Amino acid sequence: MSNYLGIKCPICGKPFQEGDDIVVCPICGAPHHRACYQKKGSCAFVDQHSEGFEWKNPNQEAPVQQGMAQEFLPRCPQCGAANTNDQAYCPVCGTSLHRREEAQSNSLPPHRIPPLSGESHPHPPSVDPYSTIYGGLSPDETIDGIPAKEVAIYVGPNSQYYLPRFKAVCQGGNTWCWSAFFLNFIYYFYRKMYRVGAMLLAVYVLLSIPSFLWSLEYSRAVLETMGVSLNSAMDTQWIQTIISYSDIASAIRLGFSCFFGLMAVRIYTKHVLASIRKIRSKYTNPEQDSNYLLELSTRGRISQRAVLLTISILLAVEFIGTYVILYWMVA
C-alpha cells in the first residue's frame, strides 16, 4: 500500500490514501480503487494492453531520474551538452570542464533548453554553428591535419572567429585583423606570440623616440613660459628636424600596423599549428590522453599577464625617462 500513497487512481483521479481498498490490474500492474475498477468493469488502460503497455510506478522512478541527473552533471557552459563527471572536456564543443565551479556557475545560452532530469530528447535543440567555439566547423574536421576540437582548446577565447579563418589561410586565403591593427604588439603578447610581439615592441620604441624628444621640447617651452630657468635649449633647426622625423616615424608606424593587421591571422595560424604539433609529439596517443588536452589549454589560450607587464614596463620607462631629462633641464 505504501508504494501507491499519493498516486492518482487512473479512473477517478483521486490520490490513494492510507486504508484505501486498492486492486492491481493483473495484466499491466496499474493500481485502481476497487470501487472504481468494479464500476468501470475493466482496467483504465485496457485499450493499451494489446500494445504491451506496462504501468510504471512514479515513486520508484524518481530515484532513478535523480541518479541520472547527477550522472550527467555538469553541463557544458558553452553549448549546454550533458557531460559525465569524469570528463575534462566537452565532447561536443571541446570546452574545458576541469574547473567544476566555473562550469556550474555559467548559465546555458538562450538557444539551449536543458531536458528534464533523466529525459532524453529525440530531437536536440539546434545550435547556431557560429555561436559555438568551432565557428561552423565540425569538431572532427581537420585544419592542416589537426582536428578542430584540439585547435579550439588551444586558441581558447574567440576560437569561433579564428577556426574558419585558420581553415581559409591553410587553403591559400587571408583575412584582416582589426585587433592586431589597433593594438599592435599588445595583440601578439595577448595571444602568446612573444617573439613577434617583442620585435614589434622594439620597432615601436625606436619609432617613438622622435615624438618623445618633441614632447620634451614642448615641455621645455611650457616651463619657460612659467618663468623656470633652464640649462640649455635646442636650436630651431634641430626642432624642425625632430618634427620631420616624428612625422616620418608616425607614417612608418602606421605602415607596420597595416602590414601586421593584414598578416596577423596568417602568423597566428602558423604559430598555433606549429605549437600543437610540438605538444602532440610528446604523447604516444594524444587523442586519448587527458594530459594532452590539459597541456593544450595551458600552453595556448591567452596571456593577460604578459600584456599588463609589458604596458607597465613601458609606462615606467617613459615616466622615469621624462623625469630624468626634465630634472637635467631644470637643475
Side-chain angles (χ1 to χ4, degrees):
M1 171 62 197
S2 59
N3 291 337
Y4 301 120
L5 288 179
I7 298 175
K8 294 181 179 181
C9 173
I11 295 179
C12 68
K14 296 180 179 180
F16 295 125
Q17 299 179 0
E18 190 70 31
D20 283 356
D21 189 5
I22 298 175
V23 295
V24 176
C25 174
I27 299 177
C28 69
H32 304 71
H33 288 117
R34 182 180 297 275
C36 294
Y37 190 93
Q38 292 176 345
K39 183 177 180 180
K40 179 176 177 58
S42 65
C43 171
F45 306 103
V46 64
D47 295 335
Q48 303 179 43
H49 287 172
S50 60
E51 302 173 2
F53 171 79
E54 291 184 7
W55 181 81
K56 302 294 184 182
N57 189 331
N59 289 343
Q60 294 178 354
E61 285 191 328
V64 177
Q65 292 179 349
Q66 294 174 3
M68 292 178 66
Q70 292 295 327
E71 179 182 0
F72 289 101
L73 287 176
R75 291 190 174 277
C76 174
Q78 178 67 32
C79 69
N83 291 269
T84 57
N85 290 326
D86 59 349
Q87 288 177 315
Y89 292 88
C90 176
V92 176
C93 70
T95 300
S96 174
L97 300 173
H98 67 278
R99 292 185 178 181
R100 179 69 54 81
E101 307 85 23
E102 178 181 353
Q104 290 179 341
S105 63
N106 289 314
S107 59
L108 293 175
H111 55 266
R112 296 290 297 189
I113 303 176
L116 298 175
S117 300
E119 178 184 355
S120 60
H121 202 302
H123 301 290
S126 59
V127 179
D128 180 3
Y130 292 95
S131 67
T132 67
I133 66 171
Y134 300 119
L137 275 66
S138 167
D140 296 321
E141 187 174 350
T142 60
I143 301 175
D144 198 20
I146 299 178
K149 57 186 176 183
E150 297 179 16
V151 179
I153 292 174
Y154 185 93
V155 172
N158 290 330
S159 59
Q160 73 277 7
Y161 170 85
Y162 285 105
L163 263 65
R165 286 163 176 79
F166 288 173
K167 188 79 171 181
V169 167
C170 291
Q171 294 174 350
N174 203 3
T175 186
W176 178 264
C177 181
W178 286 107
S179 298
F181 173 75
F182 285 113
L183 300 178
N184 205 281
F185 61 88
I186 295 177
Y187 167 82
Y188 290 91
F189 279 115
Y190 181 71
R191 283 292 168 181
K192 295 187 176 181
M193 293 180 280
Y194 299 125
R195 291 183 181 179
V196 180
M199 182 193 70
L200 286 177
L201 176 59
V203 172
Y204 175 83
V205 171
L206 290 174
L207 294 176
S208 298
I209 292 177
S211 298
F212 178 71
L213 294 176
W214 165 238
S215 65
L216 289 176
E217 186 58 29
Y218 179 80
S219 300
R220 177 196 294 276
V222 173
L223 290 173
E224 287 179 342
T225 60
M226 297 172 60
V228 179
S229 60
L230 304 175
N231 287 332
S232 59
M234 297 181 183
D235 57 43
T236 305
Q237 184 178 358
W238 179 240
I239 294 175
Q240 293 298 326
T241 302
I242 290 177
I243 295 175
S244 298
Y245 278 118
S246 178
D247 293 338
I248 295 173
S250 297
I252 295 175
R253 190 161 56 241
L254 177 60
F256 265 87
S257 297
C258 291
F259 177 77
F260 282 94
L262 179 63
M263 299 299 296
V265 175
R266 182 174 294 276
I267 295 172
Y268 191 37
T269 301
K270 293 182 179 180
H271 168 79
V272 169
L273 298 181
S275 299
I276 294 177
R277 289 191 178 96
K278 185 177 180 180
I279 297 173
R280 284 179 66 93
S281 64
K282 297 166 55 178
Y283 297 88
T284 305
N285 192 2
E287 291 81 2
Q288 300 180 3
D289 196 328
S290 59
N291 291 327
Y292 165 66
L293 299 179
L294 184 59
E295 186 171 354
L296 284 180
S297 65
T298 54
R299 293 280 297 276
R301 303 179 74 82
I302 58 176
S303 177
Q304 297 176 345
R305 182 179 301 176
V307 173
L308 294 176
L309 180 61
T310 303
I311 294 176
S312 299
I313 293 175
L314 279 177
L315 292 177
V317 170
E318 184 176 0
F319 175 79
I320 294 174
T322 302
Y323 177 81
V324 169
I325 294 177
L326 289 177
Y327 179 81
W328 172 79
M329 289 180 180
V330 176

